Structures are given as structure tokens and as C-alpha cells.
Amino acid sequence: EDQVTQSPEALRLQEGESSSLNCSYTVSGLRGLFWYRQDPGKGPEFLFTLYSAGEEKEKERLKATLTKKESFLHITAPKPEDSATYLCAVQASGSARQLTFGSGTQLTVLP
Amino acid sequence: DAGVIQSPRHEVTEMGQEVTLRCKPISGHNSLFWYRQTMMRGLELLIYFNNNVPIDDSGMPEDRFSAKMPNASFSTLKIQPSEPRDSAVYFCASNLGGVPYEQYFGPGTRLTVT
């Protein structure tokens, strides 16, 4: 069974204080790993797809990396508007379409 | 593009009533997914369609839940009869059905069953 574990559950940072969120996964063959951002009262917003170990993707202050067992979402010099819940999901190569989601990391960036 | 559209955004109903949630996927996407999100269980896949055909409904909690996709631009999720434990946020998502595999989510319907 595919499993995704995110840590920490919650993270409070001061504005400008860089940090990383972790996503550990167990899957029978990885087709893709996805990062989403979810704001309160809204649907998850797609951020990145990573397909293979060693791959990295960047968007503004966010950088996602992937190894064979985990992914990190690095946040550099965060701003209060980066406050949200960040969700990680995996798609196994054997599954046609399903995503398995982690429980998320709730990030709060204080001004 | 308007993105995935869901209606209603909020629904409050009494136990035993029928509830119908609606979704319009992104134009050109041929896969559609229904998810449920709760604090306890997070995001759970209920059912997904490919080219309007239900492919996997193993996540549908019980027979009270049913979903249809009569055409490429419309899907419904129905709960009959509704129960208080069905209270959750229901999301619809769509994707191309191939590479890239990322799914795009709608704003969700917050369902409260009293």
C-alpha cells in the first residue's frame, strides 16, 4: 500500500527564516511526486511535479527536491503570504490515475 | 481558462435528504476525480473517471454515494440519504489523463449535514 508521511505537522517561521518541509513516501514504483499548496477554504493549488531521484524544481521562494525515499520543499526567505498548508502526493507507476496524499504541513510565517 | 468549477460552494442539509454536488472539469481534460477532505482522514479519493467512464470507485464509502459523468464537461456526486458523518469538503479535480500527471482542483463544496 502506498504511504506518504509529511513532517512536521506544523511549522512557524519568522519572515526571512528559511526552512524545509519533508515528505517521506513508500510506493511500488514512483510515477510522480506532487507538491500542492492549500489556503484555508480553497482547493489545493498545484506547485510542482517531480519524476525521478535527483530532480529539482523551483518557483519563486520554493524549491522541491526528490530522492528515492523522500522529497523536500525548501522555502527560502519566506514571507507571510507563503503561509498555507503544503501537501505532498505520490502516484504509483502501477496505478492509472490515483494520487495518495500526505496529511500536510501547516506553515505559518510571522511578520 | 476558468479552472475546475464546482457548485454549490456550501451546502447545509438535514440528515436523510438527498445531496447533489456538481463539477465542470477544465476543457480538454479527460480524467475527473472526486475527493473528500476531513480533518481526521485528510484528502481521500472517492472515484475517478477517464473519458466519462468510471474507472475506480473503490473509495466510495458506501452505496449511499453515487457519481455520474454524462459528458466530458459535467459530473455529479450524489449522496442519498445523507448522514452527519458525510460532513466534509468535497473536491473535484481534473487532468489530461496522461503526461503531465498533475491534477487541478476546484474550490470545493463544503457540506454540512445536521
Side-chain angles (χ1 to χ4, degrees), chain A:
Chain A
E1 182 180 336
D2 303 335
Q3 289 191 336
V4 178
T5 302
Q6 292 189 245
S7 62
E9 290 186 8
L11 181 63
R12 292 167 67 91
L13 300 173
Q14 290 294 135
E15 184 171 3
E17 180 186 2
S18 301
S19 187
S20 296
L21 313 182
N22 177 264
C23 171
S24 298
Y25 64 91
T26 303
V27 65
S28 54
L30 181 69
R31 174 176 283 171
L33 184 140
F34 308 85
W35 282 99
Y36 286 84
R37 168 190 171 131
Q38 187 173 24
D39 293 296
K42 296 189 176 181
E45 175 189 348
F46 170 72
L47 293 174
F48 303 109
T49 305
L50 301 168
Y51 293 102
S52 58
E55 190 175 0
E56 300 182 350
K57 290 201 175 163
E58 290 187 64
K59 180 180 180 180
E60 296 181 355
R61 295 176 293 283
L62 301 177
K63 179 180 178 180
T65 62
L66 180 65
T67 72
K68 290 186 177 180
K69 295 184 178 181
E70 57 191 358
S71 177
F72 292 94
L73 185 65
H74 307 277
I75 303 176
T76 302
K79 297 182 178 182
E81 53 261 42
D82 294 322
S83 298
T85 295
Y86 291 85
L87 297 167
C88 172
V90 297
Q91 184 179 41
S93 57
S95 70
R97 303 286 185 269
Q98 295 96 323
L99 295 184
T100 300
F101 279 87
S103 55
T105 293
Q106 185 174 7
L107 175 66
T108 303
V109 183
L110 304 171

Side-chain angles (χ1 to χ4, degrees), chain B residues 57-95:
Chain B
D57 64 355
S58 59
M60 297 284 261
E62 47 197 276
D63 292 344
R64 298 184 297 106
F65 287 69
S66 62
K68 294 182 179 180
M69 192 166 185
N71 57 61
S73 59
F74 183 67
S75 178
T76 59
L77 178 68
K78 185 178 294 186
I79 307 173
Q80 167 63 18
S82 58
E83 297 183 1
R85 59 192 169 121
D86 301 330
S87 298
V89 182
Y90 291 81
F91 290 104
C92 176
S94 70
N95 74 0

